[in-house]
């Protein structure tokens, strides 16, 4: 019985499952579990956000707790809690015979994560938050919200409908079961996200790298792992061996290549997976806060050489020069649709900086109207949420996006306030509107306007009622655009406010 | 256990590669065909078959007793639910459950009216009572805020999200504005259709009534129904042929309809009326808020096509 390995596996499965559940449940207001703590416990995101925006982001204290814990417990987060790490272990286990790398290669591959961390740190100092692309919690959360859950729901839905239509004798019980599932698991809306494939591809490349070398992402690139590695170099809870017989079995099988050629633990690399306890033939390996037998301590050689430090410093300085906030292509080209941001979003520049693109808001939006930006809006806006009224409008009685945002990029507004926040303004295109062009009296926009004092009013012109927008009332929720029957371009469209750009 | 490694290291001969590719392609194509078959199957339908049961009078109105009692009295005045619902029937109760608004805001049917009707159906021997609507706001929020889902479930009804995959194509057998429109199958297949709208203001048509409430059994892009709306609603009434129409005028939204939201726009009328002729029921409801029935385009259109009568003066009205 590999007791501790099983305890560790249970912890990984439990916390990853809970994370998925929290993300899935985030659509319902006032649910007992929120996905936010996973992001708050992430020092990489929290520090980068705090430093780049020069504020104390809510959640910073929580993440400091995790850093402090790693001083005592080592990289327990990577081995026991991280969803990306759990996936890395799962993928790694598909490969039976582990690839052996030379000690030099292993050593070389430990470095990029520190360099990446330094780059991200310097960028944060310069005022740019770029961790959204590299943070493992964000990558995992984004994949779950934008790919895993929607695809699962679509698949389940399709399967049920197929069975109902093709197995007539089971029609009634299956329909009952389907309605049960629809009410509980699937919800009223099945999500689809534009731009979901690049998000999946990016995640898949990182995940499948584990097939080549186990936990390749964690050892080589993960900047969050780098933070924990830095703080856990002298961790109290550590792997200890009494009376080693130098069989090198632990070194051969270590998934993090954390056991050096001298059979000592490489500082900051051990993730406490507990495998080596059970591989040690004489059961001489154990994890504890204090060694059983007082061993002579030698200064461990590790860390960075002077040359490494120079590279580490110069690379980010060089890269920072590339970082320039470019005006988005769609705005430059004078395209009609500028991005509409969710209600309560910070001013555009701050919003882009504060958003970590975790996808929580888009998964929580009940109409599926919040969609990830594509590359057209520029790198600085990639995968940032924007409201597409043609897909779904902003529900009048809903403030879920703000309540699930872990970073405060979308402020958690109380409902009464959110109902007054203006995200854009509707504008009627009189050359397309069925009423204004005398094709028919439709007035669907006026009908749907959710404001108690309707922002779309009717005027009687030339013997017919025609809609006009009352700009003093309109909050830009986009429901009018969503339901407008004009094809292919809607006759009423919502534009972002010029002050927000 | 699945051995990934041995899989990637196996050499694949040309023949086996071609075989695998052919099998994969066949699987893909067959799956594609199946999915098409599942989602594209829309059978045309000539409309719902109604039993055409009549009440003892044309309209029964009850006032001043609160939504639940009013509903019970009005249906009793019409001759009781037993005239419409037979033992073992599947009943569809179609409330106006379209907007994310509370009962006090009067944009949806009063939940007590719906639950009273559901209970009457079961008392009359119904096997199943279905309740759904295709809402204009997000569906699960609408179900919760309106209070209808909870009330109807408590009364024993099945409340569910509209099945947009399970539709029939409207085909009235003559050229009509409604041709080819997807209609939810559950609204066509039921034995008894009870339409339970709420009386309220509506910008385009003037008032939302029972015929307008039938829009909630349509799938597809419903904004397009508003084009030539009078004709389409008359077609829809002919297609569905509701057996019983119960109009909730407990609280009436007088302005800023059909969404409302402002309690000052709500006026308490405290009436419920029941009738078998949807056009007459609508026409009578107009008089409650001092509107001339023929000024509502779809009532005039339906009356002209003899789908029902808009002549309130000649109707047999029972006031309870």
């Amino acid at each position: 019985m590999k007791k501790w390995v099983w305890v560790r596996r249970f912890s990984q499965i439990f916390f990853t499952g809970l994370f998925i559940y929290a993300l899935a449940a985030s659509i319902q207001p006032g649910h007992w579990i929120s996905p936010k703590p996973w992001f708050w416990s992430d020092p990489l995101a929290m520090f980068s956000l705090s430093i780049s925006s020069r504020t104390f982001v809510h959640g910073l204290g929580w993440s400091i707790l995790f850093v402090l814990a790693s001083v005592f417990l080592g990289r327990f987060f990577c081995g026991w809690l991280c969803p990306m790490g759990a996936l890395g272990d799962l993928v790694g286990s598909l490969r039976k015979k582990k690839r052996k790398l030379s000690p030099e290669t292993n050593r070389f591959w430990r470095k990029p994560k520190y360099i990446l961390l330094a780059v991200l740190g310097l960028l944060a100092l310069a005022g740019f938050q770029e961790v959204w692309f590299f943070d493992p919690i964000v990558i995992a959360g984004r994949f779950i919200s934008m790919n895993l859950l929607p695809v699962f729901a679509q698949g389940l839905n399709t399967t049920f409908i197929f069975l109902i239509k093709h197995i007539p004798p089971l029609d009634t019980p299956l329909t009952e079961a389907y309605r049960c599932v629809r009410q509980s698991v699937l919800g009223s809306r099945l999500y689809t996200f534009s731009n979901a494939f690049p998000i999946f591809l990016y995640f898949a490349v990182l995940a499948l790298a584990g097939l080549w070398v186990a936990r390749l992402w964690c050892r080589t690139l993960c900047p969050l792992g780098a933070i924990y590695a830095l703080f856990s170099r002298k961790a109290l809870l550590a792997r200890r061996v009494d009376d080693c017989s130098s069989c090198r079995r632990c070194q051969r099988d270590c998934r993090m290549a954390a056991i050096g050629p001298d059979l000592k633990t490489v500082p900051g690399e051990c993730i406490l997976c507990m495998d080596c306890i059970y591989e040690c033939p004489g059961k001489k390996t154990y994890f504890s806060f204090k060694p059983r037998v007082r061993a002579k301590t030698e200064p461990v050689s590790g860390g960075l050489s002077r040359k490494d430090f120079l590279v580490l410093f110069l690379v980010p300085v060089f890269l920072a020069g590339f970082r320039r906030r470019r005006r988005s292509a769609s705005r430059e080209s004078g395209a009609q649709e500028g991005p509409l941001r969710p209600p309560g979003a910070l001013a555009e520049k701050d919003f882009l900086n504060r958003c970590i693109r975790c996808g929580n808001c888009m998964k929580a939006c009940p109409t599926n109207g919040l969609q990830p930006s594509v590359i057209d809006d520029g790198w600085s806006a990639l995968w940032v949420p924007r409201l597409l009224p043609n897909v779904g409008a902003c529900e009048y009685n809903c403030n879920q996006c703000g309540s699930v945002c872990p970073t405060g990029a979308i402020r958690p507004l109380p409902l009464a306030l959110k109902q007054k926040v203006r995200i854009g303004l509707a504008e009627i295109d009189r050359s397309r509107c069925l009423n204004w062009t005398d094709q028919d009296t439709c007035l669907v926009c006026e009908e749907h306007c959710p404001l108690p004092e309707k922002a779309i009013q009717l005027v009687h012109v030339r013997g017919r009622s025609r809609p006009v927008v009352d700009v003093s009332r309109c909050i830009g929720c986009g429901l009018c655009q969503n339901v407008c029957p004009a094809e292919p371009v809607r006759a009423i469209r919502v534009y972002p406010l010029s002050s927000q750009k | 256990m699945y051995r990934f490694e041995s899989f990637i290291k196996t050499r694949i001969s040309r023949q086996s590669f071609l075989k695998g590719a052919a099998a994969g392609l066949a699987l893909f194509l067959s799956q594609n065909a199946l999915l098409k078959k599942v989602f594209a199957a829309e059978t045309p339908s000539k409309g719902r078959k109604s039993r055409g049961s009549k009440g003892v009078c044309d309209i029964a109105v009850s006032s001043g007793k609160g939504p639940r009692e009013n509903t019970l009295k009005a249906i009793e005045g019409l001759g009781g639910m037993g005239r419409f619902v037979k033992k073992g029937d599947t009943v569809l109760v179609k409330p106006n459950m379209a907007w994310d608004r509370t009962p006090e805001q009067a944009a949806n049917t009063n939940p007590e009216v719906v639950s009273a009707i559901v209970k009457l159906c079961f008392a009359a021997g119904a096997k199943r009572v279905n309740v759904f609507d295709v809402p204009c706001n997000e569906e699960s929020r609408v179900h919760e805020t309106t209070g209808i889902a909870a009330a109807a479930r408590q009364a024993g009804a099945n409340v569910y999200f509209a099945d947009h995959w399970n539709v029939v194509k409207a085909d009235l057998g003559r050229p009509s504005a409604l041709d080819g429109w997807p209609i939810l199958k559950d609204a066509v297949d039921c034995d008894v259709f009870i339409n339970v709208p709420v009386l309220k203001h509506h910008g385009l048509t003037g008032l939302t009534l029972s015929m307008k409430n039938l829009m909630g059994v349509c799938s597809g892009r419903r904004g397009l129904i508003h084009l030539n709306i009078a004709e389409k609603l008359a077609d829809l009434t002919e297609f569905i042929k509701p057996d019983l129409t119960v109009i909730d005028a407990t609280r009436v939204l007088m302005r800023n309809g059909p969404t409302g939201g402002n309690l000052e726009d709500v006026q308490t009328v405290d009436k419920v009326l029941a009738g078998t002729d949807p056009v007459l029921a609508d026409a009578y409801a107009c008089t409650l808020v001092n509107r001339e029935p023929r000024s509502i385009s779809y009532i005039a259109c339906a009356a002209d096509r003899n789908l029902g009568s808009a002549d309130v003066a000649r109707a047999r009205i029972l006031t309870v």
Side-chain angles (χ1 to χ4, degrees):
Chain A
M1 265 299 286
K2 298 177 173 182
K3 190 176 110 197
W4 285 107
V5 170
W6 281 105
V7 173
R8 186 254 305 161
R9 278 182 193 156
F10 174 77
S11 164
Q12 286 180 302
I13 293 169
F14 177 75
F15 282 102
T16 308
L18 203 63
F19 188 41
I20 295 175
Y21 177 75
L23 286 169
S26 69
I27 187 169
Q28 283 154 347
H31 209 269
W32 66 275
I33 190 166
S34 160
K36 286 198 278 191
W38 271 266
F39 299 91
W40 288 343
S41 62
D42 172 352
L44 178 67
M46 289 301 133
F47 273 92
S48 175
L49 284 165
S50 297
I51 295 169
S52 64
S53 65
R54 276 64 162 159
T55 47
F56 286 103
V57 175
H58 185 79
L60 186 67
W62 186 238
S63 77
I64 289 174
L65 273 184
F66 273 75
V67 174
L68 287 181
S70 76
V71 172
F72 297 99
L73 300 174
R75 279 175 77 174
F76 71 102
F77 182 87
C78 304
W80 289 57
L81 301 180
C82 180
M84 204 62 179
L87 186 90
D89 285 343
L90 183 73
V91 171
S93 71
L94 291 176
R95 193 185 164 106
K96 203 159 169 270
K97 206 171 154 204
K98 304 282 177 273
R99 181 182 297 269
K100 273 189 67 88
L101 299 169
S102 69
E104 293 74 37
T105 320
N106 277 331
R107 235 189 69 173
F108 178 76
W109 277 14
R110 275 172 212 140
K111 279 179 199 167
K113 61 175 179 282
Y114 296 109
I115 296 176
L116 185 59
L117 180 65
V119 173
L120 294 174
L122 284 184
L123 283 171
L125 280 174
F128 300 112
Q129 179 269 115
E130 293 291 341
V131 296
W132 60 271
F133 198 70
F134 297 104
D135 191 302
I137 309 295
V138 174
I139 294 168
R142 192 193 293 133
F143 164 75
I144 293 166
S145 289
M146 319 292 285
N147 300 123
L148 186 68
L149 293 170
V151 170
F152 172 74
Q154 292 278 6
L156 195 60
N157 189 55
T158 309
T159 311
F160 261 112
I161 293 172
F162 177 80
L163 292 178
I164 289 169
K165 288 203 170 175
H166 290 269
I167 311 182
L170 288 178
D171 191 333
T172 320
L174 272 174
T175 309
E176 292 300 312
Y178 170 73
R179 289 198 176 132
C180 235
V181 170
R182 192 75 207 264
Q183 295 285 345
S184 53
V185 183
L186 295 179
S188 64
R189 180 170 283 270
L190 301 171
Y191 285 80
T192 44
F193 291 104
S194 62
N195 207 26
F197 188 67
I199 292 173
F200 170 73
L201 203 64
Y202 178 50
F203 173 83
V205 166
L206 297 187
L208 293 180
L211 276 179
W212 185 37
V213 178
R215 276 209 181 225
L216 184 64
W217 159 258
C218 312
R219 352 175 158 166
T220 311
L221 263 179
C222 180
L224 179 60
I227 292 187
Y228 283 128
L230 285 176
F231 282 91
S232 62
R233 294 174 80 84
K234 299 253 168 67
L236 296 181
L237 180 62
R239 168 181 161 270
R240 302 178 201 276
V241 193
D242 289 343
D243 197 12
C244 177
S245 58
S246 300
C247 69
R248 297 195 170 267
R249 225 175 263 183
C250 54
Q251 187 200 19
R252 188 193 62 198
D253 287 339
C254 180
R255 63 184 72 206
M256 287 295 284
I259 300 169
D262 55 354
L263 291 179
K264 292 213 161 49
T265 315
V266 180
E269 290 298 314
C270 175
I271 56 165
L272 296 96
C273 72
M274 305 287 161
D275 278 350
C276 49
I277 304 181
Y278 304 99
E279 270 148 14
C280 191
K283 299 222 182 288
K284 291 164 189 156
T285 306
Y286 58 98
F287 280 78
S288 74
F289 289 98
K290 272 184 194 157
R292 280 179 200 149
V293 186
R294 190 82 198 150
K296 206 180 90 190
T297 46
E298 285 170 41
V300 238
S301 75
L304 303 164
S305 65
R306 200 179 311 147
K307 199 174 79 187
D308 288 341
F309 187 76
L310 207 64
V311 171
L312 203 150
F313 199 79
L314 286 180
V315 166
V317 170
F318 181 68
L319 282 177
F322 279 101
R323 188 64 183 71
R324 191 161 53 94
R325 206 167 281 285
R326 222 170 274 152
R327 290 176 66 85
S328 78
S330 59
R331 246 182 280 155
E332 276 305 321
S333 62
Q336 290 287 309
E337 263 179 277
L340 289 171
R341 299 300 177 208
L346 302 174
E348 183 73 358
K349 188 169 161 280
D350 297 333
F351 176 69
L352 293 183
N353 207 47
R354 188 70 75 86
C355 174
I356 53 172
R357 286 81 153 157
C358 61
N360 283 5
C361 53
M362 296 183 253
K363 180 66 191 69
C365 178
T367 65
N368 202 197
L370 281 186
Q371 295 275 338
S373 281
V374 288
I375 198 79
D376 277 17
D377 286 343
W379 170 261
S380 59
L382 184 64
W383 300 338
V384 162
R386 59 172 176 179
L387 181 72
L388 295 183
N390 282 11
V391 180
C394 180
E395 277 285 324
Y396 186 64
N397 289 338
C398 168
N399 56 358
Q400 269 309 93
C401 50
S403 77
V404 297
C405 179
T407 66
I410 310 171
R411 281 162 290 189
L413 301 178
L415 192 57
L417 190 57
K418 179 258 157 188
Q419 289 172 338
K420 293 193 176 67
V421 165
R422 181 174 281 172
I423 58 178
L425 273 180
E427 189 182 304
I428 291 173
D429 185 344
R430 292 190 183 178
S431 338
R432 291 184 189 278
C433 176
L434 298 171
N435 306 282
W436 283 99
T437 53
D438 280 326
Q439 293 178 56
D440 208 324
T441 310
C442 110
L443 306 183
V444 183
C445 49
E446 189 266 352
E447 176 185 35
H448 280 74
C449 181
L451 295 173
E453 300 292 332
K454 284 185 186 287
I456 297 174
Q457 294 288 319
L458 303 181
V459 289
H460 215 67
V461 183
R462 281 178 279 120
R464 198 192 271 273
S465 288
R466 334 238 177 190
V468 286
V469 177
D470 184 341
V471 289
S472 66
R473 290 180 186 159
C474 178
I475 56 170
C477 72
L479 189 52
C480 47
Q481 179 177 344
N482 183 257
V483 295
C484 177
E487 289 280 6
V489 178
R490 310 288 158 98
I492 184 163
R493 298 186 293 273
V494 180
Y495 295 103
L497 300 167
S498 52
S499 62
Q500 271 198 336
K501 280 185 185 173
Chain B
M1 194 190 134
Y2 173 65
R3 295 277 165 78
F4 185 83
E5 201 179 1
S6 61
F7 173 71
I8 50 173
K9 282 191 177 158
T10 317
R11 282 179 176 278
I12 302 170
S13 70
R14 190 188 306 151
Q15 197 184 7
S16 65
F17 173 78
L18 287 176
K19 266 186 201 162
L25 191 68
L27 191 72
F28 176 75
L29 288 179
S30 59
Q31 188 212 10
N32 223 4
L34 279 176
L35 286 180
K36 263 189 191 158
K37 210 179 153 199
V38 169
F39 287 100
E42 281 178 19
T43 41
S45 162
K46 288 212 182 303
R48 204 179 75 84
K49 285 185 184 60
S50 165
R51 292 198 191 115
S53 328
K54 290 285 170 216
V56 291
C57 57
D58 290 334
I59 300 276
V61 197
S62 168
S63 53
K65 300 181 190 70
R68 208 185 74 87
E69 278 299 305
N70 275 343
T71 312
L72 298 178
K73 289 283 176 207
I75 290 172
E76 196 187 295
L78 211 57
M81 193 57 101
R83 292 181 83 93
F84 310 100
V85 177
K86 306 289 175 221
K87 207 168 158 48
D89 275 358
T90 300
V91 183
L92 174 66
V93 175
K94 161 63 180 79
N96 188 328
M97 182 164 61
W99 307 98
D100 189 7
R101 299 285 196 224
T102 59
E104 293 73 36
Q105 290 166 326
N108 305 291
T109 307
N110 194 302
E112 287 185 50
V113 174
V114 179
S115 95
I117 292 172
V118 171
K119 278 182 189 154
L120 282 180
C121 291
F122 279 120
K127 189 178 74 183
R128 268 185 78 101
V129 178
N130 292 333
V131 174
F132 70 84
D133 194 2
V134 178
C136 303
N137 289 136
E138 198 272 317
E139 210 162 358
S140 59
R141 283 170 178 269
V142 171
H143 278 204
E144 204 179 310
T145 318
T146 58
I148 295 175
R153 275 202 192 106
Q154 213 198 349
N158 295 288
V159 187
Y160 49 90
F161 298 138
D163 298 327
H164 289 278
W165 48 272
N166 197 10
V167 292
V168 293
K169 252 191 202 161
D171 175 18
L172 286 168
R174 59 177 170 78
S176 76
L178 199 68
D179 268 351
W181 205 275
I183 312 280
L184 293 173
K185 200 154 176 262
D186 286 5
V188 183
D189 282 352
C190 58
D191 298 313
V192 183
F193 190 108
I194 304 180
N195 197 4
V196 195
V198 62
L199 168 63
K200 61 177 172 174
H201 168 258
H202 185 263
L204 170 60
T205 54
L207 286 174
T208 289
L209 285 161
S210 78
M211 289 164 70
K212 180 78 174 63
N213 190 39
L214 289 179
M215 260 184 69
V217 299
C218 297
S219 184
R221 271 202 67 192
R222 296 193 306 162
L224 294 168
I225 282 196
H226 289 74
L227 313 182
N228 197 1
I229 190 165
E231 198 69 33
K232 283 216 184 87
L233 290 184
D235 285 343
L236 198 53
T237 310
E238 188 187 336
F239 185 85
I240 296 286
K241 300 182 204 72
D243 295 291
L244 178 62
T245 303
V246 182
I247 300 184
D248 165 33
T250 308
R251 301 187 186 96
V252 180
L253 185 63
M254 304 299 284
R255 283 170 299 279
N256 288 319
T259 50
N262 202 338
L263 292 181
E264 284 147 29
D265 295 340
V266 178
Q267 193 176 319
T268 307
V269 174
D270 201 8
K271 281 186 184 182
V272 173
L273 63 102
T276 47
D277 177 350
V279 187
L280 187 63
D282 283 5
Y284 181 79
C286 290
T287 62
L288 294 181
V289 287
N290 300 322
R291 288 286 300 252
E292 165 59 31
R294 286 229 161 228
S295 73
I296 310 292
S297 62
Y298 56 84
I299 296 181
C301 179
D304 290 344
R305 282 170 49 179
N306 280 328
L307 296 175
S309 148
D311 193 352
V312 182
R314 287 170 62 185
R316 290 171 296 157
I317 295 165
L318 176 73
T319 314
V320 195

